[in-house]
Amino acid sequence: MLITVGILIGGLSSCVPSPSNSGGGSKTGRGTTGNGTFSVQPNFGRYLSDNPIAISGNDSLTSAANLSSYLDREEKFITSNQFLFGSCTAAGNSISQCFEIRNDENSSYLTATENRWAFATSSEEFLQVQAFGNIRDITDKFHDHLEFSYNLSQSYGYSSAIPTQLFTSNDRAFWFKNGLLKGYSNCGVDNNAFYDPAGNSVCLGSVVGNESVVIDPPLYMATDPTITWHEMGHAFVKVNMNMRHRAFEQAILEESALGYLFYDEAGSINEGLADFYSFFMNKRPVLGDWGLGRYLLQARPLSESSDLHAPGFSETQEGRLSYPQFVNYDPNEPEVPYEVVHYAGQIPSHFFYAFYQSLVSPTTCGVTEDNALKLTMHLIFETMAELGDQTATGHGVLTTNSTQFKVNLDPTNAIEWLSKNRPVTFRRFFQVFSKYFLQTLGNPLYNICNGREYYRDDYEKLLDSYGLLLFKTYNENGNNQFNGHSASVTSVTPTNRVKSNLISKDLLILDNRENAATAFVIDGQSDIKAAMEALLLSGSVSSISSEIDSNFGYNNGNAKISPGEVVGVAVNVFNNSNSTMGGVRLLANDWDHTKNGAPCNNLGDNFPLASEGAADLTGDNAATPGDCSYITRDNGLEAFEDIAPVCLVELNDDDATKWVTQDKLRTQMGLPKNRCLGGENSLKDCFIRAVKGADHSFYSRIEPKQTWAETLITDDGVPQFSSSNVLYFEISPSIPPGTTFNCRLRASFSNCEDCHHDALNGNDDYLDYEYSGAKPFKIINFQFTVID
């Protein structure tokens, strides 16, 4: 049974309360600070070093508050440049212009008045100086910490992910060729601020209210440095994820990103890191209490002891914000589950803060606050450098030697592995973070922790208190096919895993209860048009087949999969365990599951039967390319190997029903090759194919004995479907109605017992090439009949 639903495209709307009538005066009793032209020296000015609520302690300030009351009295050097151009410096190397500030992308550059950058705090000129000062401060601090991390990595004998070219390249590779960063202090968006990775720009909008409440005057996001720092955190994540192949000067078609869907765990970690960048600057564990919290009710804490949290949280083993129970938790509306990266990102941000605290604590490490921050950032830098590496070497010397490809399979397939087959999840990020912890702070040879190591038991217990001890080994050797299992690896102490529940993949099934839907289908014309436009605009999807009507005129909204449509499919998977599943992923991309064009039935799903067209397994050998037991080593590029589309078709042949590739149906019909969805070079998915870039879906959490739809059901009884949790398929208009298809989807989840750990190799991680096949996945067979 298929059920039709609508799809949500866009962000979370916020409740905007009426402004407080308690006034905007400072609780500190500070007087106003003059910021006229001649109140400062040439090239100097003033700006807010933190947001007005943080400075004043008055959480009832209104947007009408006089910001001059919260300016630093001490003038600050801005720039001697004609315009607001900022430089970057590290290890003695400088780039004279690595960022610039304007009001918006269409405005001209601001010039100083009498060579001074002092302006009234109510002016647009002040907002530009404000954004410049905050961006310059965090950029300087980022490079200082990255230089510390580089020097630390060079001081010890472990294999670091931070490239040796970092500060030694003649063309100053430390900015990693990301190009000019552009900051817009009043970019014209309402109730929002964002980082645009494609344009490498930070857009700071304004809080204006909504249709029921108008905020007048607007509250400008630029006046909350914690928001500027958060958005710059995204820019630095992009730098770190791309720094190895940038340093290697490897040509790439697509940059590595931390997050590829509207919701996924990689994007959630990105948000958590960006939140932590606010703490990185002011050591205050709260983000946006002025720009997000005052009117939008979206301020976010980084500590369980914050008053922003609902009752019941505490900085204890039992009281932590643990995974996966709290991935949908909004502290402002704790009873309403939201599948939003910002809220799921609170779990990693709280862990980073707690880890920082543990480094300061004399019982675990006992270093200074500044060194605790540097060491925390060091592990973050190492982790992102390895995870995003498109040279596939991960750490150590950059090379083109395939025997050294430790991550992301190989340079050709790195993006596919990073975004789909083996993406960054809570499990994978914190396993790599933990590996670098083990090799540095946890290494008794180095005694970085104030003369001793940070004991591994203490670390594992802290990670488990967040439900993030999701791995069985630290996977120090990586995932190379030649040497991934070549040496012993460190195992997690099983008794330290208390809250981090691991669940067998066999307990993720299609909902088999009576009258249950196998999937929810989105096929309304307006829904699909909006979804495809959003995916095309984001760059997730590059194109739609020319066989599909460009206006999606065949989409009829009848809850059926019909010829000529593009359909969204949310497969109705069921958690048949007694524990919460987190980070459930479904893949519809091509994989190694056929032999000589026939489906292999030895991959864990026993589909299809030999009498139904399964490949002949006589003499099948795991050492022979092309056989069902053999898994392609480079994603189908070697001789006798290929990867196949997920959807097979049921065909009557010689009085028998067989499951065959779609080209068999095309041949039987006599359909010209150029009428296939992908043209004459794409015959195996001639009639139905997953839209590339929209061929993976993500479910944040599934409660025991429930489906995702039941777990995240809203007050109106309908779950919130979005492009994150929906697979998209093109349906050829040439399909004869009544034709049945079976799509062999692969599924995995973050707290899976046997999706990541190879029991035959000491519970070390599966090797990267094995993610071309079935071993790390549960196969979900989704069958449907195309109906006119």
Side-chain angles (χ1 to χ4, degrees), residues 608-624:
L609 299 176
S611 60
E612 296 175 316
D616 183 4
L617 297 181
T618 304
D620 200 81
N621 194 318
T624 305

Side-chain angles (χ1 to χ4, degrees), residues 276 279 302-304 315 320 349-369 371-373 375-376 379 433 437 441-442 448-450 452-463 465-466:
F276 190 71
F279 177 80
L302 282 80
S303 166
E304 288 87 358
E315 294 180 356
R320 297 289 192 186
S349 72
H350 280 60
F351 170 78
F352 296 137
Y353 175 70
F355 180 69
Y356 158 86
Q357 284 185 305
S358 74
L359 293 176
V360 175
S361 170
T363 61
T364 49
C365 192
V367 298
T368 66
E369 290 185 353
N371 280 338
L373 189 58
L375 291 167
T376 303
L379 298 184
F433 184 96
F437 161 84
L441 283 158
I448 297 174
C449 232
N450 201 22
R452 65 171 178 85
E453 82 271 26
Y454 187 137
Y455 296 127
R456 183 159 58 89
D457 271 354
D458 291 336
Y459 173 78
E460 289 180 0
K461 289 173 182 176
L462 177 63
L463 197 60
S465 71
Y466 283 94

